[in-house]
Amino acid sequence: MNDQSIRAGRAAGSDETGPTRRFYVRAGSINAVRRALHRAPGGAKVVGRYDRETIECQHTMNSLSYGRHWPVIHSRLEKCGLRVVAAPLPIIEGDGGEERPGHHDAGSDGR
């Protein structure tokens, strides 16, 4: 495991309190991610579908635990053929289809 793959789990970076609590997994189904994270350390769980190809997950690890448990979570996902990705940028309608940073509600369909 290299530093780049570990940093990928920090979708929005980190601050003084530790890494972000959310991470995103490229997967075709929510259940595939749930199976991969079953009984994973650090309180990792599926929040829901972020967009068509991305599943939003969260964890409850502090900075110290993150250093120990993130490689385990990352490895479990890779063994299942899943990939941790950076947070996708939502497309804002009525703005020429440009992607812009911002919060995208996991439960909304943009209507």
Side-chain angles (χ1 to χ4, degrees):
M1 170 141 346
N2 59 27
D3 288 338
Q4 184 179 9
S5 64
I6 291 173
R7 275 187 250 121
R10 300 176 187 171
S14 61
D15 56 15
E16 303 82 36
T17 61
T20 60
R21 302 257 185 240
R22 302 224 183 241
F23 62 98
Y24 301 87
V25 178
R26 179 79 44 165
S29 76
I30 291 174
N31 285 333
V33 180
R34 282 190 178 133
R35 282 191 300 268
L37 294 178
H38 181 66
R39 296 177 56 96
K45 67 178 186 174
V46 173
V47 173
R49 190 171 287 282
Y50 184 84
D51 62 19
R52 210 175 167 108
E53 299 103 15
T54 311
I55 310 300
E56 182 177 6
C57 303
Q58 70 179 17
H59 63 79
T60 58
M61 298 176 274
N62 61 21
S63 295
L64 181 62
S65 296
Y66 186 86
R68 289 191 322 255
H69 297 313
W70 179 252
V72 175
I73 291 170
H74 192 266
S75 173
R76 284 180 181 215
L77 292 166
E78 279 187 340
K79 286 178 185 177
C80 293
L82 305 174
R83 191 169 50 115
V84 175
V85 296
L89 299 175
I91 296 176
I92 299 172
E93 292 182 29
D95 199 22
E98 291 183 28
E99 292 186 359
R100 294 216 178 151
H103 179 70
H104 182 340
D105 204 1
S108 106
D109 61 358
R111 293 183 197 176

